[in-house]
Amino acid sequence: MTETQKQAALAHIAALLDEQSARATRIAQKSEFIDYSKLEKLVIGVCGGDGIGPTITQEAANVLKYLLANEIKAEKIELRDIGGLTIENRAACGKAIPDEVLAELKKCHVILKGPTTTPQAGDGWPNIESANVAMRKELDLFANMRPVRVPEQGIDWTFFRENTEGAYAVGSRGLNVTDELAMDFTVTTTEGTRRIAKLAYEFARANGKERVSIVTKANVIKTTDGKFLSLAKEIAEEYKEIVTDEWYIDILTAKLIDEKRRRDFRVFVLPNLYGDIITDEAAEFQGGVGTAGSANIGKQYAMFEAIHGSAPRMVAEGRAKYADPCSMLRATAMLLSHIGKTCQGDRLNRALDVCMNEEKRLVITGRDTGCTCREFGEYVCEVLG
């Protein structure tokens, strides 16, 4: 390494330190969660994304309009379409979220968002940050909540994944120091950890969940994971009635497929990267990532999405109209519950159980061997009655 390379690396790291220090100060400032019941009008942004995103998001929006018809007619709720989050537009702007799109998103209280393509090395797109990661940071959506339930297997899990820190905090800001050396960075802050742990334990208490599992790799990643574990255990002391255990991510991954042990788990709280990986594994138990929705929760904003990607191959092969909307529909049920429409959310979840697992009168295959996304959405509305 030359002196010039070293100085360039140090300057890069110093800039990241300043940025993350300012962020840590900002999020430590106290603020309260928004009270949707006090809003004159609640605005739900509908952002299709790209790939199969517009197709499945439109179907979710159709179901949302069906369930909220009275509130929309009374102008208590507005569904607002927001475009411009395609990979083509983001690449042209050179930004994860174009400025005008971000401005529109910030005018909404809640967002229903379709999948978006994240560029990777060799795919021909510029190195722009994930739109998901950028949105979580810009709107401070610090909690990623993902439920997985398979009653017949004794599975009743809810994952609270820290959403704005960890390995993803500056994921596109790593450093090629020399041709032989590259470095990335992991970020853990006190407030960032305390608030995700607090939310997990509050959920457990409110929903009668008797166990919270803290998941890290603190035996190896001693500084950042160690801080996460230590702070989460401090929060646990405030919830004496809840059993707390701690797991390393590698052994937890194994135990989720252990038919006896997996029945013991209820609520998980864990850093960003581990949560991203383990929730995809967990979703397989209930039918795959196409069946699972995701909530991204902050104090002033919330965003709900499918947990799978944008499937550009389906679009290229002309199969977008056969895309499975179930993940977006599960996310829609979570959105309804989040804004206080618990009855409608429960109705939608029940209708999906019937359509996906019980009647199965129409089946999504992703090809012309099954029904279209539109047909499945109509089936769900028919079951909703």
Side-chain angles (χ1 to χ4, degrees):
M1 181 193 311
T2 67
E3 186 61 29
T4 299
Q5 288 172 323
K6 178 188 283 189
Q7 292 305 315
L10 291 173
H12 183 90
I13 294 169
L16 291 178
L17 287 173
D18 288 343
E19 171 192 290
Q20 291 303 308
S21 178
R23 174 185 170 275
T25 300
R26 186 170 65 252
I27 67 172
Q29 296 171 351
K30 302 298 181 183
S31 63
E32 299 300 321
F33 280 91
I34 190 171
D35 185 346
Y36 298 111
S37 68
K38 294 181 178 179
L39 295 175
E40 184 174 334
K41 179 190 286 187
L42 187 150
V43 180
I44 302 173
V46 179
C47 191
D50 54 30
I52 63 170
T55 302
I56 62 175
T57 305
Q58 182 57 58
E59 210 49 56
N62 290 342
V63 172
L64 200 56
K65 289 173 186 175
Y66 180 85
L67 287 167
L68 296 176
N70 291 335
E71 291 88 344
I72 293 171
K73 184 177 180 180
E75 298 185 348
K76 295 295 185 182
I77 293 178
E78 175 190 347
L79 267 60
R80 184 177 297 173
D81 288 327
I82 299 175
L85 209 58
T86 63
I87 181 61
E88 291 82 6
N89 193 39
R90 290 182 283 132
C93 295
K95 293 186 174 182
I97 304 175
D99 292 342
E100 66 275 11
V101 177
L102 182 59
E104 289 302 311
L105 290 170
K106 288 184 175 180
K107 294 176 184 177
C108 304
H109 303 104
V110 177
I111 299 158
L112 182 65
K113 177 192 162 295
T116 48
T117 301
T118 300
Q120 59 184 10
D123 65 4
W125 294 111
N127 180 28
I128 54 175
E129 186 177 40
S130 158
N132 273 8
V133 172
M135 194 178 298
R136 290 164 184 164
K137 289 193 290 189
E138 288 286 349
L139 305 182
D140 199 23
L141 306 176
F142 65 86
N144 185 253
M145 176 184 171
R146 295 185 180 182
V148 173
R149 294 180 180 87
V150 189
E152 63 271 21
Q153 296 184 35
I155 293 174
D156 178 16
W157 302 332
T158 306
F159 296 85
F160 283 83
R161 164 192 169 194
E162 201 293 315
N163 220 12
T164 58
E165 299 189 350
Y168 291 4
V170 286
S172 62
R173 308 274 298 282
L175 181 62
N176 287 302
V177 182
T178 70
D179 290 341
E180 291 76 31
L181 175 62
M183 297 183 70
D184 274 305
F185 306 95
T186 299
V187 176
T188 299
T189 69
T190 297
E191 178 60 19
T193 302
R194 288 182 59 85
R195 64 186 185 178
I196 187 66
K198 185 85 173 175
L199 201 64
Y201 278 95
E202 283 292 316
F203 172 86
R205 174 178 281 174
N207 291 275
K209 307 296 183 182
E210 71 278 8
R211 181 180 299 272
V212 173
S213 302
I214 306 168
V215 184
T216 66
K217 191 62 179 171
N219 58 330
V220 177
I221 314 298
K222 297 182 184 294
T223 303
T224 49
D225 277 23
K227 182 179 182 70
F228 189 98
L229 175 60
S230 177
L231 289 170
K233 288 167 71 175
E234 285 183 16
I235 296 295
E237 290 297 315
E238 301 173 21
Y239 300 83
K240 298 291 189 182
E241 78 277 19
I242 297 172
V243 175
T244 295
D245 55 16
E246 55 186 86
W247 292 82
Y248 298 136
I249 182 61
D250 46 355
I251 191 60
L252 176 74
T253 305
K255 291 305 176 185
L256 290 191
I257 61 173
D258 183 326
E259 292 185 5
K260 294 180 180 179
R261 293 302 302 274
R262 70 186 180 207
R263 295 172 179 268
D264 297 335
F265 297 113
R266 288 294 176 265
V267 177
F268 304 81
V269 59
L270 65 175
N272 206 333
L273 175 60
Y274 308 145
D276 192 6
I277 296 168
I278 205 73
T279 51
D280 281 5
E281 181 200 23
E284 286 297 310
F285 288 100
Q286 67 178 18
V289 295
T291 68
S294 175
N296 299 267
I297 299 169
K299 292 185 176 181
Q300 297 301 308
Y301 298 96
M303 181 264 282
F304 299 81
E305 62 178 341
I307 73 170
H308 58 70
S310 58
R313 182 188 298 178
M314 288 189 71
V315 178
E317 295 176 356
R319 295 189 289 114
K321 68 179 181 179
Y322 298 105
D324 188 343
C326 289
S327 186
M328 282 300 296
L329 291 171
R330 290 291 188 192
T332 301
M334 297 177 76
L335 184 156
L336 287 164
S337 295
H338 182 74
I339 64 173
K341 304 299 180 182
T342 305
C343 180
Q344 291 96 319
D346 290 345
R347 285 178 60 200
L348 179 52
N349 271 324
R350 178 61 192 143
L352 288 168
D353 288 341
V354 170
C355 295
M356 295 167 64
N357 304 314
E358 297 173 20
E359 284 186 0
K360 294 196 287 189
R361 186 152 42 86
L362 294 179
V363 177
I364 288 275
T365 65
R367 299 180 180 277
D368 59 9
T369 54
C371 68
T372 65
C373 179
R374 177 83 277 264
E375 289 168 340
F376 193 87
E378 291 173 347
Y379 176 31
V380 171
C381 286
E382 180 185 330
V383 172
L384 281 167

